[in-house]
Amino acid sequence: MKLSTLTSGSLVGLALLAGVGSAHAGDTVYRCGNEYLNDAQEAKRRGCKVMEGGNLTVIEGTSPRSSSSSSSSSSSRRSPASAPKVSSSEQKKRDSDAKAILDKELASAQERLEKAKQEYANGEPEKVGPEHRNHQMYLDRVEQLKQRVERAESDVSSIQRELDRLN
């Protein structure tokens, strides 16, 4: 009997402490549309509603862009007015250099893809070393080879898309 009295007494004490803690945690919070206030007079003047239950966390977002900056998608791709101007012949030279670099990258990516496909051997490469005794090692290597082929294919297709974009 004494144990239950202590337990219920300690629960009452904890409840009182929790009530005191929540009273000091913060004032009443009012919601006025998308704005939150803790000034009762201002909230009453504006006709705000009391927020009940739990804590409130407000994270401010970014301000919306003006309508002039989002007028068209092509305007967002333009250089800023402060950017240095490049002559059309210089730009053509840069585009040509970029295309040459991408052509070299495409050739090396295609070479890597062919090599990866040869090593993968359609999912049945030859077993090497300890793989004859440990089949899991073989399966792990086959999976790595498959992933290498997939990465190489992805590289080739992305470089090809970049080249198509330049043309």
Side-chain angles (χ1 to χ4, degrees), residues 50-67:
V50 175
M51 294 293 299
E52 295 180 7
N55 295 329
L56 176 69
T57 302
V58 177
I59 301 172
E60 290 188 34
T62 59
S63 58
R65 293 182 179 183
S66 65
S67 61

Side-chain angles (χ1 to χ4, degrees), residues 11-21:
L11 288 175
V12 170
L14 287 175
L16 287 174
L17 286 175
V20 169

Side-chain angles (χ1 to χ4, degrees), residues 114-127:
E114 287 305 313
K115 185 178 177 184
K117 282 182 177 181
Q118 287 174 355
E119 289 177 17
Y120 182 58
N122 291 326
E124 298 177 3
E126 290 187 33
K127 292 183 178 185

Side-chain angles (χ1 to χ4, degrees), residues 11-108:
L11 288 175
V12 170
L14 287 175
L16 287 174
L17 286 175
V20 169
S22 65
H24 293 294
D27 297 332
T28 304
V29 177
Y30 301 90
R31 180 175 179 170
C32 305
N34 288 333
E35 186 178 3
Y36 297 89
L37 302 172
N38 61 356
D39 182 359
Q41 292 175 347
E42 178 68 16
K44 185 176 181 182
R45 184 180 65 77
R46 293 174 60 181
C48 304
K49 296 182 180 180
V50 175
M51 294 293 299
E52 295 180 7
N55 295 329
L56 176 69
T57 302
V58 177
I59 301 172
E60 290 188 34
T62 59
S63 58
R65 293 182 179 183
S66 65
S67 61
S68 64
S69 67
S70 61
S71 61
S72 71
S73 61
S74 63
S75 66
S76 63
R77 293 186 185 145
R78 290 188 207 151
S79 300
S82 61
K85 302 295 179 195
V86 178
S87 67
S88 66
S89 62
E90 178 67 23
Q91 187 61 47
K92 286 180 183 178
K93 182 179 179 299
R94 289 181 183 181
D95 291 344
S96 175
D97 291 347
K99 187 177 182 316
I101 291 169
L102 284 172
D103 283 334
K104 288 178 187 176
E105 284 295 318
L106 180 61
S108 66

